[in-house]
Amino acid sequence: MGNDPPEQGFTDLYRANHGRVLRFVARRVGEEAEAEDLTAEVFRIAWDKSVRGEVLTPAWLFVTARHVLSNHRRSVQRGDFAYRRLAVTSPGGQPAGETADLVSEVLEQLPEAQRDVLVHRYWDDLGASEIAALTGLSVSAVWVRLHRARQAFKRSFKAITEVGHAKR
Amino acid sequence: MPSVKRLMQEANPVRNDRVESEERAETRLAELLGSRPAEFERPPARRRTLVWGLAAAAVVVVGVGVAGAIVLRDPAPPAMSDQPFYRDTAELEENAEAIVRATVSATRTVTADGITETVATVSVGKVAKGDPKPGSSIEIAYSSTGPEQAEGIRKGGEYVLLLQSRDATTWNLVNTTQGYYTVAGGELTPTVDNTVALSAAVTSSLGVS
């Protein structure tokens, strides 16, 4: 790819990752039009770098998306965990209901680092190297954190469902 | 209890099987590139230089317009790498909780919560750093899918391994590029993308060069 013109590599990167970045952003802003604008900003920055000869990775896109979101939140004075306020929907557009409520409750109870690694892995569908780029951890440390987060999630989920059953 | 993966995916507020508007995405792409990318023809080399010089200038002009609105740090890691790297010997060895010379006696594949990993059982020969004891066996887990595979690790092979503790029984490689050096004839060979050498103190204590 080294001798390809920048538009070729950029177009490949864009087409392979535009949807992923858009969904990543949409989970955190909750409004589709806003998400599309911010995603466009991510790729505008990427294009700028591509023209200057930099070879970009999907991981770089997500790190940049996080910076763009961070700047956007500062400009609208919004909190960091907008994704928790999103209406959770099933594939058919219907509310996912009890499971979504339970998962939200469990996530709220987890430490931020564990919550983030679970969201990155299972909602954002990021690979370990992409999560590593976002978190500054090594890839192996990402796996460790993910393992511990899953254990913590299971403990919390069990505790919450047991309390729920006891109340009935 | 259902798996964590299944619960999380059911509760995903923006599902990954959602169909995006390809037309809108292509329009945005065309706007960025200044013409439809599918219609690009590769111009002769000299003309290409001029074209990209003009394109770069146009992007700079556009960039000036948005620079005031967005203040960005350069994201880490460097754009060339998709996986964190340790830049020098000291950083690499410091981040390893254990450094051992070991032989792989068995490998197996394990899938849990949708993540497939290879677990290698290794017999520890010598230890330069950390808790593993010479003569003991330990387990090393690493991804079997995606870009972060340790492709060079084979059953029967001898390696110097740089490890981080995962839990009471399992270790991770510090990363899949710098987490292992192949030992052959007492000499170390790093992976192709690893330019960081181990220190003389470590190689000496492990009996390799």
Side-chain angles (χ1 to χ4, degrees), chain A residues 10-81:
Chain A
F10 178 80
T11 299
D12 291 344
L13 183 76
Y14 180 97
R15 287 180 174 155
N17 294 285
H18 180 267
R20 297 179 74 208
V21 175
L22 176 59
R23 292 189 290 274
F24 178 93
V25 173
R27 283 181 197 106
R28 289 157 176 85
V29 296
E31 290 177 24
E32 198 64 29
E34 204 174 16
E36 286 196 12
D37 287 345
L38 294 173
T39 302
E41 192 54 51
V42 172
F43 282 99
R44 182 154 39 239
I45 294 163
W47 171 236
D48 188 11
K49 287 191 173 286
S50 293
V51 168
R52 285 189 266 135
E54 296 190 31
V55 179
L56 307 180
T57 63
W60 184 92
L61 292 174
F62 290 106
V63 175
T64 301
R66 189 181 59 188
H67 288 315
V68 169
L69 279 162
S70 176
N71 280 291
H72 176 69
R73 284 193 195 105
R74 275 199 290 275
S75 72
V76 297
Q77 297 183 325
R78 188 180 285 176
D80 256 359
F81 298 108

Side-chain angles (χ1 to χ4, degrees), chain A residues 99-159:
Chain A
T99 301
D101 291 342
L102 275 172
V103 168
S104 278
E105 200 174 339
V106 172
L107 288 176
E108 297 240 6
Q109 289 189 358
L110 295 182
E112 185 178 338
Q114 293 186 342
R115 180 172 60 234
D116 284 351
V117 78
L118 289 171
V119 166
H120 288 325
R121 179 66 182 169
Y122 297 121
W123 287 7
D124 300 326
D125 201 26
L126 302 186
S129 58
E130 291 168 334
I131 300 173
L134 271 170
T135 57
L137 298 170
S138 68
V139 169
S140 52
V142 168
W143 290 121
V144 174
R145 184 173 291 181
L146 188 60
H147 173 75
R148 289 173 183 160
R150 282 198 300 259
Q151 299 305 315
F153 184 101
K154 286 177 187 170
R155 283 194 299 272
S156 257
F157 186 89
K158 193 176 170 195

